[in-house]
Amino acid sequence: TGASDWSSVVNGGSYTVALKTDGTLWSWGYGKNGQLGNGNTSNMFISVQESTGASDWSSVVNGGSYTVALKTDGTLWSWGLGNKGQLGNGSTNSSSIPVQESTGTYWSSVVAGGSYTVALK
């Protein structure tokens, strides 16, 4: 793929997540907590696509050990460390694959911190 097909990139917590212009999400780096979203907890030294293969992601942020992404349909998804409930799915379990936030749709933006997420409907 060419260097011109990336639309945004976020980094922190020793890993990087990037959104391509085709709406797919890719990540690389430290993956111990599942924050790469590719279904495992391994470190990745090349970019890998998140496990669902979706092409309708519109934005992405990270909270250091977890990732939160917004889809074009207004749904919010997260993966990685969940020990403080930061994945928003009603659990304190971590996830190495995207899980949908539990209160529905119509999200318009999101920010993430060390162990919290704030989203705007």
Side-chain angles (χ1 to χ4, degrees):
T1 64
S4 63
D5 61 348
W6 300 104
S7 66
S8 66
V9 63
V10 295
N11 63 9
S14 302
Y15 75 106
T16 303
V17 183
L19 178 63
K20 286 192 170 189
T21 56
D22 67 1
T24 58
L25 275 179
W26 298 77
S27 58
W28 56 93
Y30 186 71
K32 179 182 178 184
N33 297 299
Q35 64 266 48
L36 302 181
N38 64 334
N40 66 58
T41 55
S42 299
N43 297 338
M44 299 304 297
F45 302 104
I46 60 170
S47 60
V48 292
Q49 189 173 4
E50 58 78 29
S51 66
T52 70
S55 60
D56 58 346
W57 299 106
S58 63
S59 64
V60 63
V61 298
N62 75 35
S65 296
Y66 70 104
T67 304
V68 184
L70 184 62
K71 286 192 169 190
T72 57
D73 66 359
T75 57
L76 197 58
W77 298 75
S78 56
W79 53 93
L81 186 65
N83 65 330
K84 307 256 192 240
Q86 60 268 51
L87 301 185
N89 63 343
S91 168
T92 54
N93 294 328
S94 298
S95 180
S96 63
I97 60 170
V99 293
Q100 188 173 354
E101 183 276 333
S102 62
T103 62
T105 59
Y106 307 112
W107 297 103
S108 62
S109 64
V110 62
V111 296
S115 59
Y116 65 90
T117 302
V118 178
L120 180 65
K121 279 196 170 194

